[in-house]
Amino acid sequence: MSWFLFVSTQKKKGGGGGKQKTTKKMPLFQKFGKENVTSASQTKSSEQRKVRQKILEQYPMLEDHIDDFMPPKATITAVKCQNHIQLITVKNEIFFFREREGPYFPTLKLLHMYPDLLPVMQVDIGGCKFVLGGANVMCPGLTSPGGKMDDLPERAPCQIRIEGKQHAVAVGLTTMSTEQIREVNKGTCITNLHYLGDGLWHMPTLE
């Protein structure tokens, strides 16, 4: 099943079989509130169409649902925040976020409405407190008996679930493919961007 059509075009410098350097990245909303908002502007009609089109390109399964929360005539507001974060809102409700010009990620609120919106990476129960504390996901948490993985490439948006739990507890971005995770089985493999209890979770609207 194709959840999204986002493919990274970035290439790592260098080649060969040397070790790849990764930059530790903290969750975007670990310390986040309305004070981090720098500006909010209503998008023009042409820009709104582009935003909708981009979202549907990434998440084709929303074709039959996007009008429920983002009607064609509704005003889409692009909210700029510190650290190059952008929020996409309709009637002050936050539905998507992205960093710089990267892919759009659904908020957990939207993901809970449409659980199949993102592919699933399931962490074993032992990793629960770490993910909910904002920690990135480590390979052993996915390859252990309680872990499960959809087949994903590197730099793919995903939802993070916990063994035995029905709904996602975080939204992340893979730093390894599923195949690499199984082969390497050590180190960080998913960047935790947005999780239950972070600043964005506690700020579902901008009112």
Side-chain angles (χ1 to χ4, degrees):
M1 177 180 178
S2 176
W3 289 268
F4 51 84
L5 299 178
F6 171 73
V7 178
S8 173
T9 57
Q10 295 180 335
K11 294 183 179 179
K12 294 181 175 66
K13 293 182 180 180
K19 293 183 178 180
Q20 296 176 351
K21 293 183 179 180
T22 57
T23 301
K24 185 177 181 180
K25 186 176 180 60
M26 299 302 293
L28 300 180
F29 306 102
Q30 192 162 43
K31 296 181 179 179
F32 185 82
K34 292 182 180 179
E35 66 274 10
N36 297 102
V37 174
T38 57
S39 67
S41 59
Q42 295 183 355
T43 56
K44 297 179 180 179
S45 297
S46 58
E47 186 62 27
Q48 291 190 65
R49 288 193 293 271
K50 289 181 181 179
V51 171
R52 281 174 57 94
Q53 181 181 356
K54 182 67 175 179
I55 289 170
L56 289 175
E57 285 176 356
Q58 284 184 234
Y59 307 106
M61 66 84 64
L62 281 179
E63 183 73 42
D64 296 330
H65 305 287
I66 194 168
D67 288 351
D68 295 337
F69 61 90
M70 192 178 285
K73 294 184 179 180
T75 300
I76 298 174
T77 301
V79 180
K80 292 183 178 180
C81 306
Q82 295 173 4
N83 299 319
H84 308 285
I85 296 171
Q86 183 189 65
L87 308 177
I88 298 299
T89 73
V90 177
K91 295 181 180 180
N92 289 322
E93 290 193 69
I94 306 168
F95 292 112
F96 292 93
F97 66 90
R98 68 173 177 172
E99 187 179 19
R100 298 182 186 274
E101 296 300 315
Y104 286 107
F105 295 86
T107 61
L108 281 168
K109 176 183 177 180
L110 185 65
L111 186 56
H112 289 170
M113 292 169 60
Y114 304 101
D116 296 329
L117 189 55
L118 286 174
V120 177
M121 302 296 264
Q122 179 176 297
V123 178
D124 64 37
I125 192 64
C128 180
K129 64 179 180 180
F130 299 104
V131 174
L132 292 179
N136 294 329
V137 176
M138 309 292 283
C139 291
L142 297 171
T143 58
S144 69
K148 293 181 182 179
M149 294 184 285
D150 283 329
D151 190 14
L152 295 179
E154 180 184 353
R155 294 191 59 77
C158 64
Q159 61 176 293
I160 302 167
R161 294 187 186 178
I162 301 297
E163 176 188 3
K165 304 299 181 181
Q166 182 179 1
H167 296 293
V169 299
V171 174
L173 184 71
T174 61
T175 58
M176 296 182 186
S177 67
T178 299
E179 182 179 0
Q180 289 174 318
I181 292 170
R182 291 195 178 100
E183 290 178 354
V184 176
N185 200 27
K186 64 180 179 179
T188 300
C189 56
I190 302 176
T191 300
N192 187 345
L193 300 176
H194 165 40
Y195 59 93
L196 285 175
D198 69 7
L200 184 59
W201 172 258
H202 288 297
M203 192 181 69
T205 71
L206 289 176
E207 292 181 333

